[in-house]
Amino acid sequence: RLQGMPRRRAIERARELLAVVGLAAAAGRRAGEYSHGMQKRLSVARALLCDPPVLLVDEATHDLDPDGAARVRSLVRAAADRGAAVIWATQRLDEIRGFADSVTVLRRGEARFAGTVAALLEHATPRRHLLQLDLDAAATVARLKAALGPLGRLSDAGGGHLLLDLADGADLGAAVAAIASTGTRVVAVRQERSEVEEAFLSLVREAPA
């Protein structure tokens, strides 16, 4: 009503948005009784109530489950598609994939990067990988570490997996080949961190102290 919306339309719009954020069943409850996640979703509904031309969104998906977080991103993306300017601040780095049009990485108030998500990923230098190996005995790990030498460091990640931290300048292929040279079969290799996280960390590490 403060925005000049007629009372009936204000009530209709409130009910529409409560349903969209999954709070229709709790519409009759006091907001103070809502869980933290429910209050997050209520904040999003409130922000979108009057179709604002500018949205400043700070950690909107923090403490939300994956489904709730996806729903919030979808609502904000739809607002952007309708023409709203959105500034989205987040520590959930991976959520910018397929969501953000442009990205700025900040460190202590200084912009370390500004550009597209694709350009950000060019800064990714994956150093940590999770290896699934066909090991006969735990004693084999000592042989693997010796074969790996200066190429990196191995540590137990549990569940029959080892964590490989590559040394600076070391190549993943060379490290895997060194491990395979012991007669150990490498079943699978995957990055332990996402490319977005690796790019972020690379930019932060380059920042002056």
Side-chain angles (χ1 to χ4, degrees):
R1 298 293 304 284
L2 291 173
Q3 299 294 327
M5 193 180 294
R7 183 175 185 274
R8 178 177 294 179
R9 178 56 187 151
I11 293 173
E12 290 175 350
R13 179 67 174 155
R15 286 175 176 164
E16 288 170 6
L17 282 167
L18 285 173
V20 167
V21 299
L23 292 175
R29 291 170 52 188
R30 295 174 59 87
E33 298 174 0
Y34 282 12
S35 67
H36 184 64
M38 292 169 71
Q39 290 183 6
K40 282 273 189 178
R41 286 184 278 154
L42 179 63
S43 296
V44 173
R46 186 174 63 232
L48 296 173
L49 195 62
C50 297
D51 280 327
V54 178
L55 279 169
L56 306 178
V57 188
D58 184 24
E59 298 290 349
T61 58
H62 182 66
D63 289 343
L64 291 182
D65 60 43
D67 179 64
R71 183 178 300 190
V72 167
R73 286 194 298 271
S74 177
L75 289 170
V76 173
R77 178 74 253 182
D81 291 341
R82 291 194 299 269
V86 179
I87 296 179
W88 177 278
T90 183
Q91 293 187 48
R92 282 188 168 187
L93 301 180
D94 270 337
E95 71 182 3
I96 67 173
R97 285 179 178 268
F99 176 64
D101 296 320
S102 61
V103 181
T104 301
V105 175
L106 297 175
R107 182 181 186 271
R108 297 180 182 176
E110 177 188 2
R112 295 296 301 158
F113 170 85
T116 64
V117 175
L120 173 66
L121 295 182
E122 292 178 2
H123 291 269
T125 53
R127 311 309 308 163
R128 306 190 80 190
H129 296 81
L130 198 62
L131 308 181
Q132 183 180 354
L133 306 177
D134 187 8
L135 292 174
D136 293 331
T140 310
V141 177
R143 293 201 342 262
L144 298 181
K145 290 181 178 180
L148 189 60
L151 293 174
R153 181 169 55 86
L154 284 173
S155 55
D156 186 7
H161 293 77
L162 295 178
L163 187 63
L164 168 64
D165 283 282
L166 287 174
D168 290 340
D171 178 73
L172 175 61
V176 171
I179 292 171
S181 70
T182 65
T184 301
R185 188 168 67 92
V186 180
V187 178
V189 180
R190 67 175 177 85
Q191 287 180 213
E192 195 267 342
R193 296 192 184 108
S194 74
E195 287 181 294
V196 178
E197 186 177 355
E198 289 287 358
F200 173 82
L201 292 173
S202 175
L203 290 163
V204 168
R205 290 191 190 105
E206 293 171 6

